[in-house]
Amino acid sequence: MSTVIEQPVEARLVAAAPRMASIPATLHYDRSDPFAVRMSFPAPATLEGVEVCWTFARELLTAGLHEPEGHGDVRVRPYGYDRTVLEFHAPEGTAVVHVRSGEIRQFLEAAGELVPAGLEHLQLDLDHDLAELIRDAC
């Protein structure tokens, strides 16, 4: 069984122009980092011309489907019938994208089959991680 889930999604970039540009994005989930979700945008879709990847809590994405969530760099909220808004805040500015809620639900369902919500801690090897920290500190 695979330990990684990757799902392409269509994101709509909210900008000052009346038409929202569609940009490709990919949601990632890895059993080895069970509390996190990553969303990456390819280089052609970014202002800097390099791939951009945001990492945030799976729980934030789940809760943001139903009500506004987040107070930091990533914020998620429902929008209309079947859209979810993700806001990415950085010193350079804020990017706001709309994603179909159904695509997010499908991704979260697949992640939940890989690691059920609430059981993420069972995927962690704390002894190994502590040994790595101690080794790196020397």
Side-chain angles (χ1 to χ4, degrees):
M1 174 185 238
S2 175
T3 63
V4 177
I5 296 168
E6 292 190 348
Q7 178 179 321
V9 295
E10 180 182 311
R12 296 255 180 202
L13 181 62
V14 178
R19 170 113 169 88
M20 292 188 285
S22 178
I23 57 173
T26 304
L27 288 167
H28 308 264
Y29 183 77
D30 187 335
R31 183 175 17 205
S32 68
D33 192 4
F35 291 100
V37 166
R38 289 183 301 122
M39 188 169 193
S40 60
F41 300 91
T46 69
L47 294 175
E48 297 82 18
V50 296
E51 181 181 47
V52 173
C53 184
W54 288 83
T55 302
F56 49 96
R58 172 168 73 160
E59 187 176 322
L60 173 68
L61 188 59
T62 301
L65 286 170
H66 307 289
E67 61 186 11
E69 288 291 332
H71 302 286
D73 294 342
V74 180
R75 300 171 192 176
V76 184
R77 68 180 185 275
Y79 181 80
Y81 171 68
D82 190 38
R83 294 281 179 186
T84 299
V85 175
L86 291 97
E87 295 180 14
F88 301 99
H89 297 262
E92 301 80 18
T94 300
V96 179
V97 297
H98 289 195
V99 177
R100 288 186 184 96
S101 300
E103 290 181 318
I104 294 173
R105 280 190 211 95
Q106 180 183 6
F107 170 77
L108 290 170
E109 184 177 309
E113 289 175 9
L114 190 60
V115 178
L119 300 179
E120 295 91 349
H121 65 283
L122 298 177
Q123 301 300 314
L124 301 177
D125 184 350
L126 296 179
D127 292 333
H128 175 265
D129 293 344
L130 183 57
E132 290 288 314
L133 283 172
I134 292 170
R135 189 197 70 197
D136 291 344
C138 296

